[in-house]
Amino acid sequence: MNTFQIVFYLFALIVIISAMGVVFSRKLMYSAFSLLFTFFGVAGIYALLNADFLAVVQIMIYVGGILVLIIFGVMLTTKITDVDMISGKTGKWVYLGASIVSLSVLTLLLYMFNTVNWNLPGATAIYHDSSLDALGTVLLTKYVLTFLVAAILLLIAFIGAALIARKGN
Amino acid sequence: MNEILWISLEALIKAIIILSLLLLSAAISVYLERKLSAWIQLRIGPNRVGPFGLLQPIVDVVKLIMKEDIVPNGANKFLHGLAPVISLAVAIMVWAVIPVADPIKIGDHIIQMGISPNADIGILFILAMTSVGVYGIALAGWSSNNKYSLLGGLRSSAQMISYELSMGLAILSIILISGSFSLSDIVNQQFSHWGGFRWNIFIQPLGFLIFLTTAFAETNRAPFDLPEAEQELVSGYNTEYSGMRFGMFFLAEYANMATSSAIITLLYLGGWTLPFAPSAIGLEQGTWILGLVQFVIFAIKIYLLVMFFIWVRWTVPRFRYDQLMRLGWKVLLPLALLNLILTSFGVLFINH
């Protein structure tokens, strides 16, 4: 096992343990907090795979944006922090349904992983320069339409949020 | 395998040096703050311990370590303990990408002055870490089980999230001008034109003002110190902290100040570069003496900015909360956007 693998399994372990923490924690606050470590672990794996831009963006958007929102939601909702997740209205049917959905998603992912013909340009290079330039060029030439559509979607969401938050309407 | 081991060892040694320097500089900043505030208010300031009271920070730290560590009733013990660690860790982690001088050569080895100063995403990493900084304060406020703490924590998070936007836009203008996300490149860009004086503050005066204001807000310093407004909130998010846990928040505040000053220096004030070509005083590129001189220059610039931070704190009154939000969203954000658009036009015009 070389160093690369050791580091990879370290991050993978962090991701899996904290993801289990998200699912199995009895308190909602701990779940939200475990998610923090999951995101950091995934960012670590991205960095390990030379996708440095993706790693930092992962931290900026998921940790700095989405998770802050979730934690605020949990913090500011009264009595939600001490809700016992397991003693709630969860019967056998819910467990069964959850298992079926998870298993089918797992099967789908495994099937995809094994059958898709992955395009791996430059996977042999051990280290190359940052992915920033290539990413920027591709975004503004080949995928410019997708880029613009995503931008407009975000703008609409932004305006919608401002409209909902306005007083007196 | 062997090579990786050496790289890790080098990074570890650099990290230890930078960490010690950072903590030492936090101690010096505390002393400076007390002394300068005393002079501004026509007092004498600490003068009992050591010559001119210079040993006061050490005594303070010993006092904090010896104090009892109290966790309030009904507080969430785990998160209560973790929050100050997050605050301090985030302030320190930013230094992983901050270069302190030009690389030096020893034999045929090139040693980078910094842990990873050539990271292509240096600035993005800094922005990401600032956004993580919200957690320390928000969790401290929430886990203390105290209404003042919670209010302080919420205020601080709202403030940091609002000002991050303008900060990012100001940084984006700098990136447009220098065409790189790497901090070393940005500094070298400033040095390579106009005889070493094409500092970004001269081409981006508006951006500099915006960045400076947001830096004050991000570090929760006066006039944006609403999270710890003494008259309203006892002392805000750290009300229920005592002993070294309080000490860690305290350290984090001063470390953050040094970090912000370092970033302002790198982005706008020419970083570690001398005001003239190093060969003019007989220093060659790559020697360790030049590295040392550059580091001293960098440190002086940081300390001048730290003093500016302190000076502002003791002369400018605090904003009201609605004024703060109005300034952030209705003044700084449009100004930063305008600055970004003007810069893009300028860059486009010059490149054609």
Side-chain angles (χ1 to χ4, degrees), chain A residues 3 29-30 33 36-37 40 52-53 56 59-60 62-64 67-68 71-72 75-76 81 127 129-130 132, chain B residues 1 4 76 78-79 82 86 120-121 124-125 127-129 131-132 134-135 138-139 142 150 154 157 161 181:
Chain A
T3 324
M29 192 65 183
Y30 288 153
F33 207 67
L36 180 72
F37 294 97
F40 265 111
D52 47 3
F53 180 72
V56 173
I59 295 178
M60 264 170 93
Y62 283 97
V63 179
L67 194 57
V68 169
I71 285 190
F72 263 68
M75 265 171 26
L76 296 183
T81 48
Y127 179 77
D129 281 342
S130 163
L132 265 178
Chain B
M1 183 70 197
I4 290 175
N76 188 322
F78 175 65
L79 293 180
L82 198 63
I86 295 180
D120 290 304
I121 41 153
L124 278 178
F125 184 78
L127 275 177
M129 282 303 124
S131 58
V132 177
V134 177
Y135 285 94
L139 284 177
W142 179 78
L150 184 63
L154 289 182
S157 321
I161 292 171
F181 280 81

Side-chain angles (χ1 to χ4, degrees), chain B residues 264-283:
Chain B
I264 294 173
T265 311
L266 289 172
L267 292 183
Y268 290 97
L269 300 177
W272 61 79
T273 52
L274 299 164
F276 40 80
S279 53
I281 50 168
L283 291 173

Side-chain angles (χ1 to χ4, degrees), chain B residues 111-188:
Chain B
I111 296 180
Q112 302 290 344
M113 300 290 273
I115 297 171
S116 172
N118 280 345
D120 290 304
I121 41 153
I123 293 188
L124 278 178
F125 184 78
I126 289 173
L127 275 177
M129 282 303 124
T130 0
S131 58
V132 177
V134 177
Y135 285 94
I137 291 173
L139 284 177
W142 179 78
S143 64
S144 295
N145 194 25
N146 176 325
K147 58 185 171 188
Y148 296 121
S149 299
L150 184 63
L151 278 175
L154 289 182
R155 276 186 178 187
S156 167
S157 321
Q159 175 179 330
M160 283 167 102
I161 292 171
S162 318
Y163 279 75
E164 235 164 52
L165 280 173
S166 317
M167 183 181 240
L169 287 175
I171 289 182
L172 215 53
S173 311
I174 295 288
I175 293 170
L176 271 179
I177 285 178
S178 50
S180 170
F181 280 81
S182 153
L183 288 164
S184 304
D185 285 356
I186 290 172
V187 171
N188 289 328

Side-chain angles (χ1 to χ4, degrees), chain B residues 203-214:
Chain B
I203 16 184
Q204 283 281 323
L206 186 60
F208 175 72
L209 276 180
I210 293 166
F211 193 88
L212 195 68
T213 319
T214 52

Side-chain angles (χ1 to χ4, degrees), chain B residues 3-42:
Chain B
E3 196 189 358
I4 290 175
L5 205 69
W6 281 114
I7 293 175
S8 321
L9 192 69
E10 190 189 332
L12 188 70
I13 292 171
K14 282 175 183 171
I16 290 172
I17 293 174
I18 287 185
L19 185 62
S20 347
L21 282 178
L22 187 63
L23 294 183
L24 186 70
S25 96
I28 297 172
S29 309
V30 174
Y31 173 77
L32 267 180
E33 168 117 50
R34 295 185 64 175
K35 214 54 178 173
L36 286 180
S37 66
W39 288 337
I40 287 171
Q41 298 173 336
L42 297 180

